[in-house]
Amino acid sequence: MSDTGDPESVVKRGDDVDYEPVDAAEGLSKGVLLDESDGAPNFAMRRFELAPGAAVPRHTNAVEHEQYVLAGEYVVGIGDEERPVSPGDALLIPAGVEHWYRNEGDEPGAFICAVPNGDDTIELVE
């Protein structure tokens, strides 16, 4: 933040983003593009990669998610529906709604996910 309390602009290079595996799902990795630690006052933007054959179990989040598909074709389950997605598709997953992912293709999937800053409780659905 600047001395006036206004956020400062940030340019983070792709090579500066570290990707880490997500514990709850084998084949899913996450890189934080921008968040509070970069001075973003309201939202965190992350990039996820979903390996071929990977599946993310049913879960809920305490906060909404907005997603934009960058690469691959995979299935996203939201509520009671499964929807195939591909590059250019955008999704809104409301807070508290069950969702999951499955990449049955031969190519990795990738998407941007934006969430509000702050705590997010993730609960796996059995």
Side-chain angles (χ1 to χ4, degrees), residues 55-72:
V56 177
R58 286 178 183 257
H59 64 282
T60 62
N61 293 80
V63 299
E64 69 187 72
H65 287 52
E66 284 87 16
Q67 297 180 356
Y68 181 77
V69 179
L70 297 170

Side-chain angles (χ1 to χ4, degrees), residues 60-66 92-99 116 120-121:
T60 62
N61 293 80
V63 299
E64 69 187 72
H65 287 52
E66 284 87 16
L92 169 62
I93 302 171
V97 172
E98 285 185 25
H99 56 288
D120 179 17
T121 303

Side-chain angles (χ1 to χ4, degrees), residues 13-71:
R13 303 289 178 199
D15 292 344
D16 294 334
V17 177
D18 293 322
Y19 285 83
E20 297 181 0
V22 175
D23 291 339
E26 188 171 330
L28 181 68
S29 61
K30 174 178 85 170
V32 177
L33 304 178
L34 294 169
D35 68 2
E36 290 173 296
S37 68
D38 299 298
N42 300 305
F43 298 98
M45 183 172 23
R46 299 98 46 94
R47 184 178 187 276
F48 287 85
E49 295 180 354
L50 187 61
V56 177
R58 286 178 183 257
H59 64 282
T60 62
N61 293 80
V63 299
E64 69 187 72
H65 287 52
E66 284 87 16
Q67 297 180 356
Y68 181 77
V69 179
L70 297 170

